[in-house]
Structures are given as C-alpha cells and as structure tokens.
Amino acid sequence: MDTNIDFKNIWKQQTSNKPNLEELLGKLKKFKNENLRKIIIMNVLLIATSIGIAFIWYQFQPQLMTTKAGIILVILAMVIFLLVYNKMFMIFYTIDNTQSNSQYLQSLYSVKNKQKFIQTTMLNIYFIMLFLGICLYMYEYTLQMTSFYALLAYTLMIVWIGFNWFYVRPKTIKKQEAKLNGLINKFEEINNQLQDL
Amino acid sequence: MVFEEIYELYWQKIFRLCMGYVNDTDSAQDLAQETFIIVWQQLPKFRNESSVGTWIFRIASNNCLRQIEKEKRFAKADLPINLEEKKQESLEPQIQLLYQFISELPETDRIIISLELEEVKQAEIAHIIGLSESNIRVKIHRIKEKLTQKFKENGY
C-alpha cells in the first residue's frame, strides 16, 4: 500500500468546463438586477404611500394640530424606515471581500450583529411612530362622530395596534433573529477554527 | 492584468477550490462564477499591493465562507434525494474520494488544503487566510495526515 498518496496529482485532475465570457457577463447583469429589485420595490412602495398620505393633507385640509402631527409622524416613520433599510443594504455590500479570511469572518460577524440590533430597534421605533401617528390623525374625525362611534373607532384601532404589537412584531423579530443568530454562530464557529491549533 | 487573462488562468484553480469546499459540481460552478463576477467588479480597484493570485484566492475563499448564508435559503432537505447519485460517474473514484473527504473537513481546513494542493506557496496561503506561516504549516501537515488516514480506511 502506498503511504504517500500524491494528493496534488489527484487534485489537479478535476476540471470543469469554463463558461464563455459572454455567458458570465450576462449573469453579472442578472445578479446586479436581482439585488437591486428588492430595494427598489421597497423604496417605491413606501415613497408612494408617503405621497398618498401627504395628498390627503392637501386635499382635505385638516384643521387640528393633532391631525397634522399624526400625518407627519406616519410619514417620518416610513422615511426613517427607508433610510435605515437602505443604509443596512449599503453596509452589506461594502464589506471588503479582498481581506484575509480571518478579517473577513470578523467583518461578517460584526455586520450581522449590527444588523440584528438595527432590525429590532428599527421595528420598535417604526411601530410606535406609526401607531401614535394614526391615533393622533383619527382624533379630528372622531370628534365629528357620536361618542359611541368615537369610542368604537378607538377600540378597534387599539385592538389592531395590540395585535400588531403583541403578535406581529415579536413574531417578526423572532424570525429575523433566528436567522441571524444561526449565521452569527456559524461565522463565530468558523472563526474559532482558525484560533485553535 | 486584463480580465480575460485572469479568467483563462484562474478558472480551473478557482473551480477546484470551490469544489473542495462544497463537493458539488453545480454549486462549485456557481461559486466560481460569482467569484469572477466579483473579480470583474473589483479589478479596477486592484492596486498590486498583493499578487493577483492572493487577491483572487481571497475573494474566492471569502465567497465560499459566505456560502452558508445562501444555504439557509434552500435547505438541503428540500432537494430530491437522487440528486447525489447522478453526479459525475465518469470521474475516477480517487478524485471523487479526495474531494469528498476535503469537503467533510472544517470550513477553513478545506480552504487551506485546497490552496496547498493548488501549489500556492505557504507564505501566500498564510496571507490569504490571515494566520502565521508556521500555523499554516502545522495545519497542512495535520490535514494531510487526516486525508491519508481516510484514504487508507477506504483501501488505498
């Protein structure tokens, strides 16, 4: 039995058809587009909603301060959400992939941790501003209702807010965290492989 | 250096590195293509601070390390089971075994041994991975022992 197996020779025998250059560059386009599409859709949706809300202000000319403050809060919530979302996207794509493996793993690790913090904090701020904004906005219109309907409107509103805050929000956070924690642990584990000798 | 030359010179090397990492022809092809897409994008920024080889191998190995992010999206369990069987029957069993054994090593060991087998100098491997040369030497020695052991267990 040969004790010195020529690994290098075996290794070199593995080859693969090289895709032609046009095919590769075609993929480049698709790759870029896919990444951009998601962020563009998100931006367009939230900007359109903000414009829609601003249009309500223009069209119906609210009288009370509370209504105006409500509208501003809701739009601000969306603007902040967009800014943070876009920034997170940028951080992600600016990790220098020409660093050494050990530096790269550390960058991935810290970016993922940052992402976890931002996502959770962001989601809380977004929900609070949105709810507060809606409650303020409603005030002017409930004044014109009988107290029964005004109470009903606010009760329904609070139930909806409660559902979002106590069910949708924790569920979303949990899902995001589970995914990120998995990655963070894995990157840490790989990085530890380099530490022990 | 022109992209076309780099592509010509490094395609097989990068493919083998990815193949050692995942031991799956399709995924390795994808990883290698992604690597060259990044190389294409970053080439204007390349400043000759390190050799082109080190630079490209860093991009390729980092891209492999990032693989797990994508893995999460398509859980392996979702794939049809018989996929395993049809892959490259034409290859010699020795080659298949080597790549299989390498892909079973811890992630960073896969990269280290792949670079060693690609005849990258150990000083350069140290530079790519971010460890000292002596650490790399020790690791390569251990990995080779492990691989030899596994080959013996399989009757070679």
Side-chain angles (χ1 to χ4, degrees):
Chain A
M1 202 184 287
D2 187 7
T3 41
N4 282 317
I5 304 161
D6 188 359
F7 289 131
K8 282 183 184 168
N9 182 36
I10 306 176
W11 174 259
K12 289 262 163 81
Q13 290 177 48
Q14 172 85 264
T15 53
S16 153
N17 293 330
K18 181 160 44 87
N20 66 43
L21 213 57
E22 286 81 49
E23 200 181 313
L24 183 80
L25 296 178
K27 284 212 172 184
L28 173 70
K29 239 175 156 181
K30 201 173 144 232
F31 180 77
K32 265 187 175 167
N33 290 346
E34 265 170 33
N35 283 324
L36 276 175
R37 197 163 52 218
K38 209 174 145 198
I39 195 160
I40 289 176
I41 290 174
M42 184 69 123
N43 276 284
V44 167
L45 269 178
L46 286 185
I47 289 172
T49 315
S50 298
I51 291 174
I53 296 169
F55 181 73
I56 293 177
W57 185 332
Y58 174 77
Q59 188 70 17
F60 298 102
Q61 295 291 326
Q63 302 303 312
L64 294 181
M65 235 3 251
T66 47
T67 319
K68 292 171 189 164
I71 291 176
I72 289 171
L73 266 178
V74 171
I75 291 178
L76 217 58
M78 286 192 245
V79 169
I80 292 175
F81 185 88
L82 263 191
L83 287 179
V84 174
Y85 187 86
N86 289 346
K87 193 171 172 237
M88 209 158 71
F89 187 85
M90 290 314 291
I91 297 177
F92 213 68
Y93 281 89
T94 47
I95 302 178
D96 176 12
N97 38 26
T98 62
Q99 313 174 80
S100 71
N101 293 164
S102 92
Q103 288 167 321
Y104 186 74
L105 283 166
Q106 270 158 26
S107 307
L108 281 179
Y109 178 76
S110 71
V111 163
K112 288 287 161 194
N113 267 313
K114 212 185 269 173
Q115 192 180 349
K116 196 169 96 176
F117 173 76
I118 292 176
Q119 274 182 354
T120 312
T121 320
M122 200 42 240
L123 208 64
N124 287 340
I125 294 176
Y126 178 70
F127 270 119
I128 290 172
M129 287 177 75
L130 198 65
F131 296 153
L132 215 64
I134 292 173
C135 286
L136 286 172
Y137 176 78
M138 280 168 66
Y139 183 67
E140 183 175 337
Y141 303 99
T142 47
L143 277 183
Q144 296 157 17
M145 302 173 180
T146 62
S147 52
F148 172 74
Y149 282 109
L151 213 65
L152 185 71
Y154 268 99
T155 312
L156 286 178
M157 190 62 217
I158 285 165
V159 168
W160 181 76
I161 288 174
F163 173 73
N164 275 286
W165 183 262
F166 294 108
Y167 182 74
V168 176
R169 186 189 58 105
K171 210 180 152 197
T172 312
I173 290 179
K174 214 170 149 190
K175 207 173 121 198
Q176 287 175 341
E177 286 204 334
K179 198 177 145 208
L180 282 174
N181 283 338
L183 286 175
I184 289 169
N185 291 341
K186 189 67 195 173
F187 289 140
E188 199 178 13
E189 183 201 312
I190 299 179
N191 206 17
N192 285 340
Q193 289 169 11
L194 291 175
Q195 311 310 318
D196 49 52
L197 261 186
Chain B
M1 211 172 182
V2 196
F3 180 75
E4 282 80 358
E5 284 173 39
I6 294 176
Y7 189 53
E8 203 62 40
L9 209 61
Y10 283 94
W11 170 263
Q12 299 297 351
K13 293 172 195 276
I14 298 300
F15 171 76
R16 283 193 287 262
L17 175 77
C18 301
M19 190 62 188
Y21 197 86
V22 290
N23 191 31
D24 175 274
T25 319
D26 291 340
S27 314
Q29 280 260 2
D30 284 348
L31 282 170
Q33 290 194 16
E34 277 169 30
T35 301
F36 282 100
I37 286 173
I38 301 172
V39 167
W40 167 271
Q41 290 171 328
Q42 307 256 348
L43 198 58
K45 283 192 252 163
F46 177 65
R47 293 271 175 271
N48 281 314
E49 287 146 4
S50 52
S51 76
V52 186
T54 307
W55 186 73
I56 291 176
F57 281 125
R58 272 185 169 183
I59 294 176
S61 51
N62 284 335
N63 190 43
C64 284
L65 288 169
R66 204 167 183 170
Q67 238 280 88
I68 45 161
E69 269 183 307
K70 293 158 205 159
E71 254 170 41
K72 296 261 158 173
R73 271 176 248 157
F74 327 93
K76 283 217 169 111
D78 296 342
L79 294 172
I81 311 155
N82 58 7
L83 214 65
E84 201 79 8
E85 293 161 21
K86 66 170 185 188
K87 84 183 165 206
Q88 345 168 302
E89 295 100 351
S90 56
L91 273 183
E92 279 179 53
Q94 268 194 333
I95 307 177
Q96 280 193 42
L97 273 184
L98 178 64
Y99 280 84
Q100 185 201 322
F101 291 154
I102 290 178
S103 71
E104 287 164 3
L105 294 167
E107 286 83 354
T108 51
D109 285 358
R110 296 179 212 166
I111 295 171
I112 294 171
I113 191 65
S114 299
L115 292 170
E116 161 72 13
L117 296 180
E118 206 52 67
E119 293 181 71
V120 178
K121 286 193 206 98
Q122 293 191 353
E124 221 178 313
I125 299 179
H127 204 56
I128 295 166
I129 307 286
L131 284 180
S132 74
E133 212 181 321
S134 56
N135 279 353
I136 292 290
R137 204 175 309 120
V138 174
K139 276 187 181 275
I140 288 175
H141 182 73
R142 288 202 193 137
I143 299 167
K144 278 189 174 165
E145 265 179 359
K146 230 189 265 179
L147 289 177
T148 311
Q149 183 65 30
K150 281 195 173 181
F151 263 84
K152 280 185 181 161
E153 282 163 12
N154 278 268
Y156 284 95

